[in-house]
């Protein structure tokens, strides 16, 4: 079956620090990979995605590279801001799962001024 | 503006009561989903529907029911059989091209509590 494992949180950083949130996966078939973000009290919204090996998704200064050899899709940002405080979810879907997503547990990020 | 509307934002359920959570989308998406989110946990799929008048159970369907009579609407009923209903419920939709690359778009959620 499909599964996603994220680094445990919560993560607390100071403003302008470097961020990495680890995500590894197992999948039946060839997955597409996603990072979603959830701001307090809201639903999820797509942050970035990658659909094939070595693709790099990027948005709002966040980046993640699809690494097939290590089955990973780590999220990075060079300089975080207080406004980046949120919960980040790694997710995958495959051709066999169709549009169904498998989510990781989520990682709470708090950025202090 | 296109999007997904969930209502109500907050809902309280009495013992033995069924409650229905509304989800409406105007994105013309074929697929719709219901997730449950508990504190500190990821999202768990309750039900999903890929086409009108058809739906499938997800990972935690027991104690819940759905209908899909219209493309735009996918209401979720939390029945009295669901003994631990307190959670944040999220509705989502996607185009469903069947290639496993679809982006899901989420509503703002309904927080359900038991009185």
């Amino acid at each position: 079956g499909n599964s996603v494992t994220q680094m445990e949180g919560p993560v607390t950083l100071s403003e302008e620090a470097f961020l990495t949130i680890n995500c590894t996966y197992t999948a039946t078939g060839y997955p597409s990979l996603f990072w979603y973000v959830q701001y307090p009290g809201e639903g999820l919204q797509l942050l970035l995605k990658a659909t094939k090996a070595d693709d790099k998704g990027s948005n709002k200064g966040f980046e993640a590279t699809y690494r097939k050899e290590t089955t990973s899709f780590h999220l990075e940002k060079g300089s975080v801001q207080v406004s980046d405080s949120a919960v980040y979810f790694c997710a995958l879907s495959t051709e066999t799962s169709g549009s169904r997503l498998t989510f990781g547990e989520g990682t709470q990020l708090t950025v202090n001024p | 503006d296109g999007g997904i509307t969930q209502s109500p934002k907050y809902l309280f359920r009495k013992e033995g009561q069924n409650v229905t959570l509304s989800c409406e989308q105007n994105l013309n998406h074929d697929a719709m989903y219901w997730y449950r989110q508990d504190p500190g946990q990821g999202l768990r799929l309750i039900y999903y529907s890929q086409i009108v008048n058809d739906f499938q159970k997800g990972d935690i369907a027991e104690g819940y029911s759905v209908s899909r009579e219209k493309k735009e609407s996918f209401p979720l009923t939390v029945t009295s059989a669901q003994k631990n209903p307190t959670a944040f419920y999220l509705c989502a939709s996607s185009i469903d091209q069947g290639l496993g690359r679809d982006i899901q778009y989420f509503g703002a959620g309904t927080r359900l509590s038991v009185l």
Side-chain angles (χ1 to χ4, degrees):
Chain A
N2 299 333
S3 69
V4 176
T5 302
Q6 289 182 233
M7 68 183 286
E8 289 189 17
V11 174
T12 302
L13 296 173
S14 297
E15 206 164 22
E16 299 183 2
F18 184 85
L19 168 70
T20 299
I21 301 178
N22 291 337
C23 171
T24 57
Y25 67 88
T26 58
T28 303
Y30 196 66
S32 294
L33 301 171
F34 306 82
W35 277 102
Y36 282 83
V37 59
Q38 183 179 32
Y39 298 103
E42 298 182 8
L44 279 68
Q45 55 186 275
L46 179 72
L47 182 59
L48 52 85
K49 72 171 189 175
T51 58
K52 61 182 188 294
D54 299 325
D55 265 2
K56 179 186 284 187
S58 62
N59 186 26
K60 299 180 181 179
F62 291 89
E63 293 184 339
T65 301
Y66 189 141
R67 300 289 188 198
K68 187 178 179 183
E69 63 276 13
T70 55
T71 62
S72 65
F73 192 53
H74 304 322
L75 183 68
E76 297 181 336
K77 187 175 186 182
S79 176
V80 294
Q81 305 300 311
V82 172
S83 58
D84 293 327
S85 299
V87 182
Y88 292 82
F89 291 92
C90 186
L92 70 82
S93 62
T94 65
E95 289 186 9
T96 52
S97 70
S99 50
R100 287 189 60 168
L101 287 170
T102 299
F103 285 91
E105 308 84 15
T107 301
Q108 170 78 56
L109 170 67
T110 300
V111 180
N112 294 318
Chain B
D1 284 339
I4 299 178
T5 302
Q6 289 188 244
S7 62
K9 192 173 178 66
Y10 299 96
L11 187 58
F12 298 91
R13 194 191 87 167
K14 295 180 181 178
E15 196 73 34
Q17 185 182 39
N18 293 351
V19 293
T20 297
L21 284 61
S22 171
C23 178
E24 302 277 333
Q25 56 100 356
N26 61 4
L27 299 168
N28 199 33
H29 286 169
D30 288 311
M32 297 187 73
Y33 314 82
W34 274 105
Y35 294 94
R36 172 178 171 141
Q37 185 178 23
D38 293 284
Q41 297 189 29
L43 277 69
R44 293 184 287 171
L45 184 65
I46 305 172
Y47 270 98
Y48 66 104
S49 168
Q50 294 173 290
I51 196 169
V52 174
N53 292 323
D54 190 36
F55 48 83
Q56 288 78 42
K57 293 181 178 180
D59 302 316
I60 55 165
E62 186 174 350
Y64 300 96
S65 66
V66 293
S67 63
R68 187 85 186 276
E69 297 177 0
K70 299 186 299 182
K71 187 175 184 178
E72 315 81 65
S73 179
F74 192 41
L76 173 74
T77 297
V78 184
T79 75
S80 56
Q82 172 51 245
K83 298 305 180 188
N84 184 24
T86 297
F88 190 50
Y89 290 86
L90 287 163
C91 179
S93 70
S94 69
I95 292 175
D96 192 22
Q97 296 177 313
L99 299 175
R101 300 174 186 173
D102 300 322
I103 297 168
Q104 288 191 15
Y105 295 83
F106 286 79
T110 293
R111 191 166 298 281
L112 175 62
S113 303
V114 177
L115 289 175

